[in-house]
Amino acid sequence: MKRILFLTLMAAATNAFAAENDTLVIEKPQRVTIITGDSLQSIRVKGKEGNNSFDYQNTIQLIDSNYVSTETYNKSLWDLMPFGKKKDCEKRGNMQFALIASFSVGFTTAVGAADGVNIPVGPSWEFMWDIAQIQVRPWKERNHYFYTGFGLDWRNYRMTDQNRFVEQPDGRIAVTPYPQGSNPDFSRIKVLSLTVPFTYGFFPFKQGLFRGFEIGPVLNFNVYSSIKTRYSIDDEKQKDITKGLHRNPVTVDFMVKLQMKYFNIYAKYSPCNVLDTAYGPKFRSVSFGVGF
């Protein structure tokens, strides 16, 4: 049994490198490791001519009288990726797809705001979750990448002064003072978005604190928005909630992300107004924070 498994596996790895008709040849491998068991044969090739980082693994198992083969190429590519844990990775030529768990948190503020809109940095937050990502490496150099995929973005724009967001009977959002005698807490607009990045990454460093950067636009498909206002009158708490605002349905952020060893630092700016300006006050979004 071991002899059969060994011969079957060695047929997939020889002395030159090409991928054709399910035949793989590796030119001048630097290190070959072979593990043989009663129902398992595994081979790993590290390095080849002209590529010290090449990493190939092939495992053949005998399961219920059937042979099951598993291959991975260049698993170490993911070591340079700037996002959390990667699972279920597939490579097809220079393209990789990954389901990932990457979470970012940051502060949000507004620029170009209309009169009365005052959104300070501290009380306003952003939460991002990158769910899936496609990585394309069009050149032979291993430091250049292009990314797309999809995720979720949750941003709130909170005012804590004497003004609040109020929906008028015609659906317009106005900025008005609180009722007389009120003790304001906050008034915020929340926007939930589906995100699709189109970014370029350059990651030249494998050692040290700084590893590289990522830059490019991120499309936001804004699927939900609401207003929530809290205040009290004569020590009686009040809460006003309005859903389904006339938001700008599609916006774009320009993002810069610095990848450090254990985390990343990002900043985003949007030239688009958050709300449909026919129905709400003008203001644009700026956010920054950290990701893991």
Side-chain angles (χ1 to χ4, degrees), residues 2 15 18 48 74 123 138 140 143 150 158 177 195 221 226 230-231 235 243-244 259 267-268 283:
K2 292 182 179 180
N15 264 345
K48 69 181 184 69
N74 290 346
K140 292 183 179 180
N143 299 329
F150 67 92
R158 180 178 296 209
T195 60
F221 298 91
S226 67
R230 287 184 179 272
Y231 60 99
D235 295 328
K243 300 180 180 180
Q259 176 62 33
K268 295 191 301 180
F283 66 93

Coordinates of all heavy atoms in Angstrom, one line a residue, residues 2 15 18 48 74 123 138 140 143 150 158 177 195 221 226 230-231 235 243-244 259 267-268 283:
K2 N 1.9 1.3 0.8 CA 2.8 2.5 0.9 C 3.5 2.7 -0.5 O 3.6 3.8 -0.9 CB 3.8 2.3 2.0 CG 3.2 2.4 3.4 CD 4.3 2.3 4.4 CE 3.7 2.3 5.8 NZ 4.8 2.2 6.9
N15 N 11.1 16.9 -11.9 CA 12.2 17.8 -11.9 C 12.0 19.2 -12.6 O 13.0 19.8 -12.8 CB 13.3 17.2 -12.7 CG 14.3 16.6 -11.9 OD1 14.2 16.8 -10.8 ND2 15.1 15.9 -12.6
A18 N 5.8 23.0 -14.6 CA 4.8 23.3 -15.6 C 3.5 22.7 -15.1 O 3.5 21.8 -14.3 CB 5.1 22.8 -17.0
K48 N 12.1 26.5 -5.5 CA 12.4 25.9 -6.8 C 13.3 26.9 -7.5 O 13.6 28.0 -7.0 CB 11.2 25.6 -7.6 CG 10.4 26.9 -8.1 CD 9.2 26.5 -8.9 CE 8.4 27.7 -9.4 NZ 9.2 28.3 -10.5
N74 N 1.7 27.6 -3.0 CA 2.2 28.9 -2.5 C 1.3 29.3 -1.3 O 0.8 30.5 -1.3 CB 2.2 30.0 -3.5 CG 3.3 29.8 -4.5 OD1 4.2 29.0 -4.3 ND2 3.2 30.4 -5.7
P123 N -17.7 61.0 19.5 CA -18.9 60.3 19.7 C -19.4 59.5 18.5 O -20.3 58.7 18.5 CB -20.0 61.3 20.0 CG -19.2 62.6 20.3 CD -18.0 62.5 19.5
P138 N -1.1 40.2 -10.9 CA -0.9 40.2 -12.3 C 0.6 40.1 -12.8 O 0.8 39.7 -13.9 CB -1.5 41.5 -12.8 CG -1.3 42.4 -11.7 CD -1.5 41.6 -10.4
K140 N 4.8 38.9 -12.0 CA 5.6 37.9 -11.3 C 6.1 38.3 -10.0 O 6.3 37.5 -9.1 CB 6.8 37.5 -12.2 CG 6.4 36.8 -13.5 CD 7.6 36.4 -14.3 CE 7.2 35.6 -15.6 NZ 8.4 35.2 -16.4
N143 N 5.1 41.3 -4.7 CA 4.8 42.4 -3.8 C 3.6 43.1 -4.2 O 3.1 44.0 -3.4 CB 6.0 43.3 -3.7 CG 7.3 42.6 -3.1 OD1 7.2 41.7 -2.3 ND2 8.4 43.1 -3.6
F150 N -16.3 41.8 -1.0 CA -17.4 42.5 -0.4 C -17.4 42.4 1.1 O -16.7 41.6 1.7 CB -18.8 41.9 -0.9 CG -19.0 40.5 -0.5 CD1 -19.7 40.2 0.7 CD2 -18.6 39.4 -1.2 CE1 -20.0 38.9 1.1 CE2 -18.8 38.1 -0.8 CZ -19.5 37.9 0.4
R158 N -23.0 61.5 14.8 CA -23.7 61.8 16.0 C -23.4 63.3 16.4 O -22.3 63.7 16.4 CB -23.3 60.9 17.2 CG -23.9 61.2 18.5 CD -23.5 60.3 19.6 NE -23.9 58.9 19.3 CZ -24.1 58.0 20.2 NH1 -24.0 58.3 21.5 NH2 -24.4 56.8 19.9
P177 N -33.4 73.0 16.7 CA -33.1 72.9 18.1 C -34.0 71.9 18.8 O -35.1 71.6 18.3 CB -33.4 74.3 18.6 CG -33.3 75.2 17.3 CD -33.8 74.3 16.2
T195 N -20.2 46.9 1.0 CA -19.0 47.5 0.4 C -18.3 46.6 -0.6 O -18.2 45.4 -0.4 CB -18.0 47.9 1.5 OG1 -17.6 46.7 2.2 CG2 -18.6 48.9 2.5
F221 N -22.8 50.5 -1.2 CA -24.2 50.4 -1.6 C -25.0 50.6 -0.3 O -25.1 49.7 0.5 CB -24.5 49.1 -2.3 CG -23.8 48.9 -3.6 CD1 -22.5 48.3 -3.6 CD2 -24.3 49.4 -4.7 CE1 -21.8 48.2 -4.8 CE2 -23.6 49.3 -5.9 CZ -22.4 48.7 -6.0
S226 N -31.1 55.5 9.4 CA -32.1 55.8 10.4 C -31.6 57.0 11.2 O -30.4 57.3 11.2 CB -32.4 54.6 11.3 OG -31.2 54.3 12.1
R230 N -32.0 61.1 21.4 CA -32.3 60.9 22.9 C -32.2 62.2 23.6 O -31.2 62.9 23.4 CB -31.4 59.9 23.5 CG -31.7 58.4 23.1 CD -30.8 57.5 23.9 NE -31.0 56.1 23.5 CZ -31.9 55.3 24.2 NH1 -32.6 55.8 25.1 NH2 -32.0 54.0 23.8
Y231 N -33.1 62.5 24.4 CA -33.1 63.7 25.3 C -34.0 63.6 26.4 O -34.8 62.6 26.5 CB -33.4 65.0 24.5 CG -34.7 65.0 23.8 CD1 -35.8 65.7 24.4 CD2 -35.0 64.4 22.6 CE1 -37.0 65.7 23.9 CE2 -36.2 64.4 22.0 CZ -37.3 65.1 22.7 OH -38.5 65.1 22.1
D235 N -36.7 65.6 33.5 CA -36.2 64.3 33.9 C -36.9 63.1 33.3 O -36.8 62.0 33.8 CB -36.2 64.2 35.5 CG -35.3 65.2 36.2 OD1 -34.2 65.5 35.5 OD2 -35.6 65.7 37.3
K243 N -36.9 55.7 10.5 CA -36.2 54.8 9.6 C -36.5 55.1 8.2 O -37.4 55.8 7.8 CB -36.6 53.3 9.9 CG -36.3 52.9 11.3 CD -36.8 51.4 11.6 CE -36.5 51.0 13.0 NZ -37.0 49.6 13.2
G244 N -35.6 54.6 7.3 CA -35.8 54.7 5.8 C -35.6 56.1 5.3 O -36.5 56.7 4.6
Q259 N -0.4 48.6 6.4 CA -0.4 47.3 7.1 C 0.9 47.2 8.0 O 2.0 47.3 7.6 CB -0.3 46.2 6.0 CG -0.2 44.8 6.6 CD -1.4 44.5 7.5 OE1 -2.5 44.9 7.2 NE2 -1.2 43.7 8.5
A267 N -7.6 55.1 6.7 CA -8.3 56.4 6.6 C -9.1 56.4 5.3 O -8.6 55.9 4.3 CB -7.3 57.5 6.6
K268 N -10.3 57.0 5.4 CA -11.2 57.0 4.2 C -11.8 58.4 4.1 O -12.1 59.0 5.1 CB -12.3 56.0 4.4 CG -11.8 54.6 4.3 CD -13.0 53.6 4.2 CE -14.0 53.7 5.3 NZ -15.2 52.8 5.1
F283 N -23.5 66.9 4.0 CA -22.2 66.6 4.7 C -21.6 65.4 4.1 O -22.3 64.4 3.7 CB -22.4 66.5 6.2 CG -23.3 65.3 6.7 CD1 -22.7 64.1 7.0 CD2 -24.6 65.4 6.8 CE1 -23.4 63.0 7.5 CE2 -25.4 64.4 7.2 CZ -24.8 63.2 7.6

